[in-house]
Amino acid sequence: MFQRINFDKIIDDYTLKLVVTKDYMKAYLEISLDTDEIPDKNLTVEEVENFLRDKEIVYGVQTNIIRDMIDSRIYQKSVMVAEADMPQKGDDGYIQYTHRIKNSISLNQDDKGNINFKELGWFIQVSQGDILAKKIPPTMGHGGKNLKGEEIPAVPGKEAVFKYGKNVEESEDKTSLISTKDGRLEYAGDKLQVNDVLTIKGNVDTSTGNINFGGDVVVNGDIKTGFEVNCVGSLEVNGVIEAANIIVGRDLVVKGGVQGNAKSSIKVSGSTICRFIENACVFSEGDIITDFVVHSNISCGSNLVVKGKKGLIVGGEIRVKNEINAQVIGSYMGTKTVIEIGLDPSQKNKLDAYRDELHSYEKKLKELQPTIETGKQLLQRGLMDNIKKISFVKMLEDYNKTVQNISIVETEIQKIEKQLSEIRYGMMQVKDKIYPGVKITIGRYSRYIKDETGASKFYVQDGDIVIHKN
């Protein structure tokens, strides 16, 4: 209940009772007639307003209401005759998020209504320096005025408070939240945070879609056929990588193994550790450590170590920069197995790409030559109009550009081939046996294994690959 102040005044035959709230925001007037007879003199609005003024009520007086009370003879009823202006509280400040803060799956549909289950966008990837949230300030509100005419100050809204966790900080002016790392944006409890490790509780499949993440990724299940994982950090898979496309910025650890196909590939900027590699294409700039390699194309920028009970390399093409250590290479069935040691696989891949490019340019040149010769003859005979001349000039420019490109590519091929010819280091060690059907190349030297051979080492000496039996 509001506390009230009571005032009374008698004017002729009228008694005025005034009730004012203690904060002087509202005033109520009751008029009583002290006689049953019609008074000789009517009460006037001015007399009532003078009474109010005497009691410091000078603002918000409702003159029309007072006049109506007098004219309509509204007696012995309390009526509000003055009301102050209430101050208006300002709006509270709030946090405006720049990204979706709750994980949700986005069902991307094509024109036919088909859903792309590989691109579900179920988590938010942010980068270092990204603004995650902004603080919207509160408004000041509006001031008021009481019945005395005194100003009442505005009440501002409450300022919002940032709540955040790891890898998030406030900007210098305290108005924004900023990510301090690349990673996954999460809303943990009531705090915004960035997790630089993305954990997939199950498989990478239609429930998650493809993964593209700026930190480390841990997959507790498998990476299923046809899906993609691209992470800037390391990738740990507790299950198996099937025929998936994988790009890893640091190291790859697969507690199961890799089962690929001709259409999938795994590219690792660091080292690769897995239980096995089968029918897969794996490029690793660092070491590759596994139990066995079967019918796979392997490019290794350091050492290939195949250990365990099987310790087997059989089938496919194996390119290793430094050394290969294995228990068994090849099979008693004479399975074709190609081993190349010495040159950085990235350089070897570049050499192959240059050779393919050279072949393409040479094919184009061969196709252009007959048309060029015909054009020259027409030009000499004066049988070529201006439009054909313009077309012919463009063809000549294309021809000359192709010749120039051939020269550039041939130079690059010669550089890499020179590196190959200078390679003297590179070794392969077989702890059990190596079978016929294996071709070994170290630098520019090659050797075919024709007979089953026991534990031995292979390296270059005196211009040939020698076999040193252990």
Side-chain angles (χ1 to χ4, degrees):
M1 294 291 292
F2 290 108
Q3 291 183 325
R4 300 172 184 269
I5 304 172
N6 299 315
F7 301 101
D8 294 338
K9 184 174 183 178
I10 297 174
I11 301 176
D12 297 328
D13 294 324
Y14 299 92
T15 299
L16 306 182
K17 293 183 178 181
L18 182 67
V19 177
V20 184
T21 58
K22 194 170 184 179
D23 58 4
Y24 267 76
M25 298 305 289
K26 292 182 180 180
Y28 299 85
L29 177 67
E30 182 181 330
I31 302 173
S32 298
L33 186 61
D34 297 337
T35 178
D36 295 333
E37 299 178 0
I38 298 174
D40 295 330
K41 180 182 177 184
N42 287 332
L43 186 67
T44 66
V45 172
E46 290 73 20
E47 288 173 325
V48 173
E49 289 184 339
N50 288 335
F51 172 47
L52 297 179
R53 194 176 297 112
D54 290 342
K55 304 309 176 186
E56 298 185 279
I57 298 173
V58 297
Y59 183 81
V61 176
Q62 309 292 318
T63 301
N64 291 338
I65 293 177
I66 295 172
R67 181 176 291 111
D68 186 57
M69 289 178 71
I70 294 172
D71 293 345
S72 300
R73 299 180 182 277
I74 300 173
Y75 300 146
Q76 294 180 327
K77 180 179 179 181
S78 180
V79 178
M80 187 176 70
V81 293
E83 184 176 18
D85 289 339
M86 295 290 293
Q88 299 296 316
K89 181 179 179 295
D91 295 329
D92 291 340
Y94 61 94
I95 306 301
Q96 184 180 76
Y97 297 98
T98 57
H99 299 75
R100 186 181 77 240
I101 59 174
K102 299 292 186 181
N103 289 337
S104 64
I105 291 177
S106 301
L107 298 180
N108 299 314
Q109 294 178 284
D110 59 22
D111 295 337
K112 296 181 180 179
N114 297 315
I115 297 173
N116 184 354
F117 285 100
K118 295 181 182 179
E119 299 295 341
L120 298 179
W122 68 279
F123 71 92
I124 300 299
Q125 166 76 25
V126 296
S127 302
Q128 182 179 357
D130 281 358
I131 295 175
L132 308 179
K134 296 180 179 180
K135 188 183 290 185
I136 305 302
T139 60
M140 286 302 298
H142 301 285
K145 188 180 286 189
N146 66 15
L147 300 181
K148 295 181 180 182
E150 298 170 337
E151 298 289 339
I152 303 173
V155 179
K158 294 181 180 179
E159 184 174 347
V161 178
F162 282 133
K163 294 183 179 180
Y164 54 94
K166 62 181 181 179
N167 302 324
V168 177
E169 66 180 11
E170 293 187 48
S171 59
E172 290 185 7
D173 60 5
K174 306 297 183 182
T175 63
S176 300
L177 287 182
I178 299 173
S179 173
T180 60
K181 281 190 175 183
D182 296 349
R184 173 188 178 183
L185 183 63
E186 296 178 336
Y187 199 67
D190 60 351
K191 293 182 179 179
L192 203 63
Q193 66 181 29
V194 175
N195 195 342
D196 52 355
V197 178
L198 172 63
T199 301
I200 308 298
K201 294 182 179 180
N203 300 325
V204 174
D205 53 20
T206 54
S207 66
T208 63
N210 295 331
I211 304 298
N212 191 337
F213 189 65
D216 297 337
V217 175
V218 177
V219 179
N220 288 333
D222 303 330
I223 301 177
K224 295 299 185 179
T225 298
F227 286 86
E228 298 178 3
V229 174
N230 186 339
C231 65
V232 174
S234 297
L235 172 62
E236 180 180 329
V237 182
N238 289 322
V240 174
I241 296 178
E242 296 181 0
N245 289 309
I246 309 294
I247 299 177
V248 182
R250 290 202 290 269
D251 299 325
L252 170 65
V253 177
V254 188
K255 294 181 180 178
V258 177
Q259 296 173 329
N261 62 22
K263 296 181 180 180
S264 62
S265 66
I266 295 174
K267 298 178 181 179
V268 183
S269 296
S271 296
T272 300
I273 302 173
C274 60
R275 187 178 175 189
F276 63 85
I277 302 173
E278 186 173 351
N279 296 313
C281 179
V282 178
F283 179 91
S284 182
E285 293 185 16
D287 294 336
I288 296 179
I289 302 173
T290 186
D291 283 357
F292 61 90
V293 179
V294 177
H295 296 295
S296 296
N297 291 334
I298 302 294
S299 294
C300 176
S302 188
N303 302 310
L304 173 61
V305 181
V306 185
K307 57 182 183 178
K309 290 183 179 180
K310 290 186 177 180
L312 170 67
I313 299 174
V314 59
E317 297 183 3
I318 312 296
R319 294 173 175 173
V320 177
K321 182 179 180 181
N322 296 332
E323 297 184 10
I324 295 176
N325 284 274
Q327 293 285 112
V328 177
I329 297 181
S331 75
Y332 70 92
M333 297 176 65
T335 305
K336 182 181 178 181
T337 307
V338 177
I339 307 287
E340 296 182 5
I341 307 173
L343 186 66
D344 189 332
S346 62
Q347 289 294 97
K348 189 65 167 66
N349 291 339
K350 190 182 292 186
L351 177 61
D352 290 343
Y354 279 138
R355 284 172 175 166
D356 290 341
E357 192 176 0
L358 179 61
H359 176 72
S360 177
Y361 285 139
E362 289 174 340
K363 182 180 179 182
K364 183 177 180 180
L365 208 63
K366 188 176 181 180
E367 292 172 350
L368 286 173
Q369 282 174 341
T371 308
I372 295 291
E373 290 301 321
T374 301
K376 286 180 179 178
Q377 293 175 11
L378 292 174
L379 192 62
Q380 290 172 356
R381 295 174 186 175
L383 301 176
M384 188 177 289
D385 58 28
N386 288 335
I387 295 177
K388 290 182 179 179
K389 283 181 182 179
I390 293 172
S391 178
F392 182 65
V393 169
K394 289 183 179 179
M395 189 179 299
L396 282 175
E397 290 175 352
D398 191 18
Y399 180 87
N400 292 332
K401 182 66 175 177
T402 303
V403 171
Q404 183 181 358
N405 288 336
I406 287 175
S407 177
I408 293 171
V409 172
E410 285 179 337
T411 300
E412 295 300 320
I413 290 174
Q414 289 170 5
K415 287 180 182 178
I416 298 176
E417 287 181 336
K418 186 174 185 296
Q419 293 177 31
L420 273 173
S421 66
E422 294 173 349
I423 288 173
R424 295 291 181 273
Y425 177 77
M427 184 185 74
M428 183 171 73
Q429 180 168 316
V430 180
K431 295 182 179 179
D432 190 355
K433 62 182 68 176
I434 184 170
Y435 290 96
V438 177
K439 178 187 175 183
I440 304 169
T441 299
I442 302 178
R444 63 189 180 95
Y445 305 103
S446 297
R447 181 161 187 161
Y448 290 88
I449 303 301
K450 298 179 180 179
D451 300 309
E452 182 180 318
T453 304
S456 52
K457 292 181 181 179
F458 298 79
Y459 52 90
V460 173
Q461 183 175 300
D462 299 330
D464 195 9
I465 297 177
V466 298
I467 302 175
H468 178 78
K469 295 182 179 180
N470 294 339

